[in-house]
């Protein structure tokens, strides 16, 4: 199992810019290289109400968009709680972007009370994500949030200017 405390320190040092786009791309690449048995890592952003839009990722081309009403990413967005799924094929509304994916971990990213997006990790190995992995990956998301200036995408759908 990865040493998530060490990975958090390394990610902290890697994310030396406040730019959310650069940091999200770097975070995906870092996790893909440092955490074993993954076949996809990426961000989905809430840029419209009740809808996740594909952001930076590592892996095969992905499904886009994802409504809050479907899949593991949608469940994380709706509940604002991490979803750790041992067997995605047991989830009735699982969105199968890559048939090789068997396990999934999705961590919601909040800016105050607003859902900014989610970090989605897929693995070809059933049962890949343990509670310790969940805790460690949630800590990496905390590093990403702390080191990034995250734009408020909700301003765009409220008719206000946004940083995006």
């Amino acid at each position: 199992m990865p040493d998530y405390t060490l990975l958090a320190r390394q990610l902290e040092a890697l994310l030396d810019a406040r730019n959310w786009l650069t940091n999200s791309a770097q975070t995906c690449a870092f996790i893909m290289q440092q955490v074993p048995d993954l076949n996809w890592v990426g961000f989905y952003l809430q840029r419209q109400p009740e809808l996740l839009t594909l952001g930076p990722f590592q892996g095969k081309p992905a499904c886009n968009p994802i409504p809050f009403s479907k899949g593991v990413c949608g469940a994380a967005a709706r509940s604002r709680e991490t979803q750790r799924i041992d067997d995605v094929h047991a989830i009735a509304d699982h969105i199968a972007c890559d048939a090789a994916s068997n396990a999934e971990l999705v961590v919601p990213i909040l800016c105050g009370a607003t859902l900014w997006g989610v970090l989605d990790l897929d693995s070809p190995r059933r049962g890949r994500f343990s509670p310790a992995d969940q805790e460690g990956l949630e800590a990496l998301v905390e590093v990403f949030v702390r080191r990034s200036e995250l734009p408020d995408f909700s301003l765009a759908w409220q008719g206000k200017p946004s940083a995006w």
Side-chain angles (χ1 to χ4, degrees), residues 49-107:
E50 305 295 310
L51 193 67
L52 295 169
T53 303
L54 184 63
F57 69 93
Q58 295 277 309
K60 290 183 178 180
C63 298
N64 182 68
I66 296 177
F68 279 26
S69 60
K70 293 195 175 161
V72 180
C73 287
R78 279 191 317 274
S79 69
R80 296 177 183 208
E81 294 179 359
T82 299
Q83 303 292 304
R84 183 169 38 91
I85 308 299
D86 289 336
D87 181 1
V88 296
H89 306 289
I91 304 298
D93 67 348
H94 174 250
I95 301 169
C97 298
D98 181 352
S101 293
N102 289 306
E104 189 167 8
L105 182 82
V106 182
V107 180

Side-chain angles (χ1 to χ4, degrees), residues 3 8 17 24 29 32 37 47 49-50 55 60 72-73 77-78 85 90 101 104-105 127 138 140 143 149 154 163:
D3 179 346
S24 59
M32 191 70 153
D37 298 320
R47 297 179 66 196
E50 305 295 310
K60 290 183 178 180
V72 180
C73 287
R78 279 191 317 274
I85 308 299
S101 293
E104 189 167 8
L105 182 82
E138 288 171 340
L140 295 180
V143 170
E149 290 179 12
S154 71

Side-chain angles (χ1 to χ4, degrees), residues 125-153:
R125 186 165 57 95
R126 278 186 172 79
R128 163 61 187 89
F129 302 106
S130 69
D133 288 308
Q134 177 178 336
E135 184 179 314
L137 289 158
E138 288 171 340
L140 295 180
V141 166
E142 289 175 18
V143 170
F144 165 75
V145 170
R146 188 171 55 251
R147 299 290 292 161
S148 304
E149 290 179 12
L150 302 179
D152 186 349
F153 294 127

Side-chain angles (χ1 to χ4, degrees), residues 45-50 52 68 76-77 80 108-118 145 150-158:
L45 315 174
Q46 183 185 215
R47 297 179 66 196
Q48 297 176 44
E50 305 295 310
L52 295 169
F68 279 26
R80 296 177 183 208
I109 302 167
L110 301 172
C111 288
T114 303
L115 180 82
W116 184 81
V118 300
V145 170
L150 302 179
D152 186 349
F153 294 127
S154 71
L155 294 175
W157 70 72
Q158 295 171 14

